[in-house]
Amino acid sequence: MNYSLADNGPDAWRWMFGLGVVPSALFLLGVFFLPESPRWQMSKGQLDNAMKTFNKIGGKETAMKLIAGVDHHPQQINQSGNNGLFSKAVRPALLIGVTLAVFQQLCGINVVFNYTSTIFSSVGATLDRQLWETVIIGIVNTLFTLLAMWQVDKLGRKPLIMYGSIVLSVSYLILAVLLRNQAPAAWISVFVLLAIAVYATSLAPVTWVIISEIFPNHIRGKASAFAILCLWGAYFILVFTFPLLAKSLGTYGPFYLYSGICLLGFLFIRYNVKETKGQSLEQLESNFSAH
């Protein structure tokens, strides 16, 4: 007997919603094992605790180097940065961080996550097929995010987000053509999953890494929070406007727009984002100040 995801009827969404408790509980449990930032510990005079945290990250030799590097930047630890978020010195990094955060959302991938059923129903896919595609998208996203965690320090940040931007641009263009011509759902699935895999190995994790690295130490917390606020604002705009665009342009129409945004994002990254791989936060700040 064949089992259908749609067999649970109108109450199936309750199970899907309720299962969100599992990852949320695991995340909450993991928070209890997170150490404090060693730079915060040093700012509070907790040098021994900072040494222990650095030691866990990279060993004793690395810990000594990092402690020495932070010691050479005491003013960055002690400044509160209450008035420095939009200062002239911070503004270029803030512009890059906010642009990357907004681009990570306006690149359009969360349309694929949130409107999977709409995309596949537009080419005549059954409800069961739509639900299975949602499940497969989640699996692919998880597996390729793990791959990105393994590769981000080997390949670097900039190459990954550049490759992700340009491949997404091409994938969306092909997907728009397929949707417009009512291609079989199997072909739609290929390019939807390709887009998910590319995003999961590039823009999804790497944007967060870059945002955590590019800001000066004394303003990092506030600047990161502001960039993330802009990120979620862009997310709201994306998911709010897709139904409106799809209604007026067809389901395929918005993907032409997302393809263009990804191309612009590629050009912005190519000319404005610097590689941060293999550098301490203090080295990054020194390079930024010199720049």
Side-chain angles (χ1 to χ4, degrees), residues 14-15 27 30-31 44 79 87 101 106 115 117 126 143 156 165 184 189 202 223-224 227 233 246-247 254 257-258:
R14 300 179 189 274
W15 288 99
F27 183 84
V31 168
K44 302 300 181 182
Q79 290 179 12
S87 66
L106 295 188
Y115 294 102
S117 294
T126 64
L143 293 176
S165 302
S189 181
S202 56
S224 297
K247 185 176 181 180
L257 174 62
Y258 305 145

Side-chain angles (χ1 to χ4, degrees), residues 132-210:
W132 274 115
E133 290 293 343
T134 302
V135 172
I136 295 170
I137 282 173
I139 294 172
V140 169
N141 183 48
T142 301
L143 293 176
F144 279 88
T145 299
L146 294 174
L147 176 63
M149 292 169 59
W150 175 49
Q151 290 294 318
V152 67
D153 282 325
K154 293 183 178 181
L155 300 179
R157 285 69 157 142
K158 186 173 181 177
L160 280 174
I161 53 176
M162 285 179 63
Y163 123 84
S165 302
I166 199 66
V167 176
L168 276 177
S169 181
V170 175
S171 299
Y172 285 151
L173 192 60
I174 296 172
L175 185 58
V177 173
L178 292 174
L179 288 170
R180 184 173 187 175
N181 290 281
Q182 293 290 293
W187 280 106
I188 305 299
S189 181
V190 167
F191 285 94
V192 163
L193 294 178
L194 174 62
I196 295 295
V198 169
Y199 180 77
T201 54
S202 56
L203 291 171
V206 178
T207 300
W208 293 99
V209 173
I210 293 177

